[in-house]
Amino acid sequence: MKPIISASECASESAGPRPPVLLDVRWQLGGPHGLPDYEAGHIPGAVFVDLDAELAGPAGSGGRHPLPDPERFGAVMRRAGVCRDTPVVVYDGGQGWAAARAWWLLRWTGHSDVRVLDGGLAAWEGELSTETPTPAEGDFRPVPGALPLLDADGAAALARSGLLLDARAAERYRGDVEPIDRVGGHIPGAVSAPTSENTGGDGRFLPADVLAARFKELGTDGAPEVGVYCGSGVSGAHEVLALAVAGIPAALYAGSWSEWSADDSRPVAKGPDPQ
């Protein structure tokens, strides 16, 4: 199954006999809360999910967006009407990062039928609704482990033995600037691969063959394993999604740079080269 769905396909399936559960995950790093935008207009039937409060645990030594407690995440998904055998479509405002985080969490915890709306709400051409739905309670029970997950030590090892991609902006990878975390730079051995280069100006993913060529140039061919990290595990999920579109499985280092850089015993590389 493709991990993304077009707006026209989503509209068709929503009107069909087996409509997907729709999750609205509008969110901006450091920006206003997404709930007012949701209340002002969303795809009919979509349930709002709060990334900071419901798709992440409390910030701390595990990073700014550590993984949520699986049981609590499961309760959020059931409240949204998610069942183990019904399709789910996730969307955000168009950047795709937040939707990819929800996609990754659902896939990691065992849901097999989850897709991201390509281009987000901006791609939707249908009517919007201001009604807040009250779906029937779902039956989804998370079973973590269906997708590969890295911790800090695993990310360090993968940077030496395989290919570890850094999904942040290139200037943060180089250490030229660091607007959020304690120190700038990257995990030694990681390769710069900004997730912004996986999409076009409309926020839609580039074609699968174009993405595959990009990742091949970055070193996926011949790498025994591929991993991704970012600032706090959100845009990294978007890069894992882009890799999935290209047919390349990849692990996510969920703690990412916010966890790595918080420990001053861990090495930091700077400059444009991996080492």
Side-chain angles (χ1 to χ4, degrees):
M1 180 195 308
K2 292 196 306 181
I4 57 175
I5 184 173
S6 70
S8 60
E9 290 171 328
C10 183
S12 177
E13 290 189 16
S14 294
R18 192 167 175 256
V21 173
L22 298 171
L23 304 181
D24 183 313
V25 198
R26 274 179 275 183
W27 170 88
Q28 295 181 52
L29 179 63
H33 199 279
L35 183 58
D37 285 341
Y38 168 83
E39 292 173 336
H42 50 268
I43 297 176
V47 176
F48 180 74
V49 179
D50 186 332
L51 186 147
D52 287 318
E54 298 177 322
L55 302 182
S61 60
R64 281 181 280 110
H65 290 107
L67 298 183
D69 173 77
E71 286 305 312
R72 186 168 187 275
F73 172 69
V76 169
M77 292 298 101
R78 291 191 295 275
R79 183 263 301 171
V82 174
C83 294
R84 62 182 179 274
D85 58 354
T86 55
V88 179
V89 171
V90 190
Y91 71 89
D92 56 26
Q95 187 180 39
W97 292 5
R101 170 74 171 209
W103 167 84
W104 187 90
L105 280 169
L106 278 163
R107 292 288 293 110
W108 175 65
T109 53
H111 202 295
S112 62
D113 192 350
V114 190
R115 288 162 293 172
V116 168
L117 178 60
D118 197 18
L121 186 63
W124 181 257
E125 296 180 350
E127 295 182 355
L128 299 180
S129 172
T130 57
E131 295 183 9
T132 300
T134 55
E137 181 85 0
D139 63 8
F140 177 65
R141 300 284 173 181
V143 181
L147 292 184
L149 175 67
L150 297 170
D151 60 12
D153 291 341
L158 184 55
R160 297 189 299 269
S161 65
L163 177 66
L164 182 65
L165 299 176
D166 185 319
R168 298 172 300 157
E171 59 269 22
R172 291 184 68 192
Y173 170 89
R174 294 191 301 265
D176 298 346
V177 297
E178 182 43 65
I180 305 171
D181 294 311
R182 185 183 66 84
V183 63
H186 58 269
I187 296 173
V191 173
S192 180
T195 197
S196 59
E197 296 179 17
N198 295 324
T199 56
D202 58 2
R204 292 180 173 90
F205 282 100
L206 300 176
D209 60 340
V210 176
L211 289 171
R214 181 196 182 211
F215 291 125
K216 179 179 180 180
E217 187 174 345
L218 289 168
T220 54
D221 269 18
E225 294 180 84
V226 178
V228 179
Y229 75 97
C230 58
S232 65
V234 177
S235 66
H238 189 267
E239 186 121 298
V240 172
L241 176 58
L243 284 154
V245 171
I248 302 167
L252 177 67
Y253 172 26
S256 286
W257 189 248
S258 60
E259 179 186 45
W260 183 278
S261 63
D263 184 346
D264 58 15
S265 71
R266 296 198 178 278
V268 171
K270 297 198 176 191
D273 300 321
Q275 302 299 334

